[in-house]
Amino acid sequence: MFKTRLFKGTMALTLAAGMLFSAHSAPVVNAAESNCANGYVALTFDDGPNAGNTANLLHALKQAGLRATMFNLGQNAQNYPSLVRDQVAAGMWVGNHSYTHPHMTTLSSSQMSSEITRTQQAIQSATGSAPKLFRPPYGETNAALKSVAAQNGLTEVLWNVDSQDWNGASTAQIVAAAGRLQNGDVFLMHDHYQSTLQAIPQIAQNLKSRGLCSGMISPSTGRAVAPDDGSGGTPSPGTGTKVEAESMTKGGQYTSSISSPFAGVALYSNNDWVKYTQYFANGTHSFSLRGASNNANIARVDLKIGGVTKGTFYFGGSYPAVYTINNVSHGTGNQEIQLVCTSDNGTWDVLIDYLEMK
């Protein structure tokens, strides 16, 4: 057993430093600097996640200080669960866009239900939460489909303005379409077009010049509204209290320090842990953990505060990523914060960089 762990530790130390995933390190606009005087619009991207484009899309959105709703296909979410988690970690919202992108109105009610429920399950498996929004492929809907969506707790969402990226629109044409957005409007785009990707910085400038911000879609109305997490129209700029893993107290049979893919700590076995004591003046915070698995399998880390498990971070690949548990309630005063490896089966490990509180 010890030799197995020693080999795994060596492998972790030799992970290439160049594998950093830029979607989690891009600079963003401070929410306090946003001017949302004229309201919010919802930017939406259909048909993701895509291995060849989603990381670049998230990077572009974060650089531009934009948030968006990603209407994912269930089969793509099933194939690329780490990209779904990357969407959430980048501050995006995730919706249901069916499993295989069929013409839903040609299906029976049971087939409609299968398309929707399989997608709900794939996204919930990846992120821990099921979507609340459903966008029918091609915008095709009827009373039967609306009923099936409602039975799954979903609000159907179409759009007010179509970018026409699916129809060969140029970057300039996509930007011009975004210029028609008004407060509450929903903008249709897709994950896999370079013209759309290249339009993002100009869309951001256009919205800013008109006093508009990118918002979330209300499950009640299907219209764009201010985000309900207090972050305005932009992803969090990451100005909270950050504690590096290597500065925490280490425990467990195989916990070790690492220098690659970042300076941090590796939890090599179930119940390996790191911990520290934090003073809290108030009892609600959000916690973001940067880390990785040492391969494509899902590794998990439980967050414990005062000895009580408050949530779980999931890492599904060797690219470092940041995942967040929002609005965690906990005790005040001095509290012990512990990060515990709880999914190791002898074939993968959890690599931890830092924990940030906001």
Side-chain angles (χ1 to χ4, degrees), residues 247-332:
S247 70
M248 301 178 190
T249 301
K250 295 185 287 289
Q253 190 171 7
Y254 300 107
T255 304
S256 301
S257 297
I258 57 174
S259 59
S260 178
F262 42 68
V265 173
L267 307 181
Y268 287 132
S269 180
N270 268 356
N271 300 316
D272 280 0
W273 51 264
V274 290
K275 68 179 182 180
Y276 68 100
T277 299
Q278 175 69 42
Y279 177 81
F280 293 107
N282 59 70
T284 303
H285 289 83
S286 293
F287 293 83
S288 298
L289 183 65
R290 186 173 191 263
S293 172
N294 77 324
N295 61 33
N297 290 306
I298 300 297
R300 58 180 279 174
V301 181
D302 284 355
L303 169 68
K304 293 187 176 183
I305 303 179
V308 178
T309 300
K310 296 295 184 178
T312 300
F313 301 99
Y314 296 90
F315 297 96
S318 57
Y319 292 101
V322 178
Y323 298 116
T324 301
I325 303 174
N326 289 310
N327 301 320
V328 176
S329 297
H330 52 76
T332 57

Side-chain angles (χ1 to χ4, degrees), residues 113-337:
S113 180
S114 176
E115 284 284 333
I116 289 174
T117 58
R118 283 190 295 162
T119 303
Q120 292 291 90
Q121 292 163 3
I123 293 173
Q124 183 163 12
S125 177
T127 67
S129 298
K132 297 180 181 178
L133 305 175
F134 169 67
R135 170 168 286 165
Y138 312 104
E140 298 170 347
T141 188
N142 58 21
L145 182 56
K146 291 178 187 290
S147 176
V148 171
Q151 290 168 19
N152 285 275
L154 291 163
T155 298
E156 186 179 270
V157 176
L158 298 180
W159 54 86
N160 305 99
V161 181
D162 185 349
S163 70
Q164 292 283 314
D165 57 358
W166 57 272
N167 198 29
S170 67
T171 293
Q173 290 170 325
I174 294 168
V175 173
R180 301 197 299 271
L181 291 167
Q182 301 297 325
N183 181 38
D185 282 351
V186 178
F187 191 38
L188 172 66
M189 292 175 284
H190 294 79
D191 186 305
H192 47 278
Y193 296 110
Q194 285 301 303
S195 55
T196 307
L197 184 66
Q198 293 164 5
I200 288 172
Q202 296 175 67
I203 291 173
Q205 288 299 319
N206 178 281
L207 295 178
K208 182 178 180 181
S209 70
R210 297 192 293 131
L212 293 167
C213 290
S214 55
M216 62 179 278
I217 298 173
S218 167
S220 300
T221 66
R223 290 180 57 79
V225 295
D228 61 6
D229 55 10
S231 63
T234 64
S236 168
T239 56
T241 301
K242 181 185 294 185
V243 181
E244 300 290 340
E246 59 267 34
S247 70
M248 301 178 190
T249 301
K250 295 185 287 289
Q253 190 171 7
Y254 300 107
T255 304
S256 301
S257 297
I258 57 174
S259 59
S260 178
F262 42 68
V265 173
L267 307 181
Y268 287 132
S269 180
N270 268 356
N271 300 316
D272 280 0
W273 51 264
V274 290
K275 68 179 182 180
Y276 68 100
T277 299
Q278 175 69 42
Y279 177 81
F280 293 107
N282 59 70
T284 303
H285 289 83
S286 293
F287 293 83
S288 298
L289 183 65
R290 186 173 191 263
S293 172
N294 77 324
N295 61 33
N297 290 306
I298 300 297
R300 58 180 279 174
V301 181
D302 284 355
L303 169 68
K304 293 187 176 183
I305 303 179
V308 178
T309 300
K310 296 295 184 178
T312 300
F313 301 99
Y314 296 90
F315 297 96
S318 57
Y319 292 101
V322 178
Y323 298 116
T324 301
I325 303 174
N326 289 310
N327 301 320
V328 176
S329 297
H330 52 76
T332 57
N334 287 326
Q335 298 286 326
E336 182 181 88
I337 297 179

Side-chain angles (χ1 to χ4, degrees), residues 5 27 66 69 76 84 88 109 120 127 169 176 211 227 233 243 249 261 277 294 307 316 341 346 352:
R5 291 296 175 187
L66 297 175
T69 301
N76 290 356
V84 183
V88 175
S109 292
Q120 292 291 90
T127 67
V243 181
T249 301
T277 299
N294 77 324
C341 175
I352 298 175

Side-chain angles (χ1 to χ4, degrees), residues 36-92:
C36 308
N38 292 325
Y40 294 85
V41 300
L43 307 178
T44 68
F45 293 87
D46 288 4
D47 301 346
N50 295 290
N53 190 67
T54 297
N56 293 331
L57 176 60
L58 295 176
H59 178 77
L61 288 168
K62 290 195 72 177
Q63 277 197 317
L66 297 175
R67 300 177 74 178
T69 301
M70 322 302 282
F71 284 103
N72 288 336
L73 292 175
Q75 61 186 0
N76 290 356
Q78 186 73 38
N79 290 333
Y80 306 110
S82 63
L83 289 179
V84 183
R85 290 190 292 274
D86 291 339
Q87 291 171 338
V88 175
M92 311 303 155

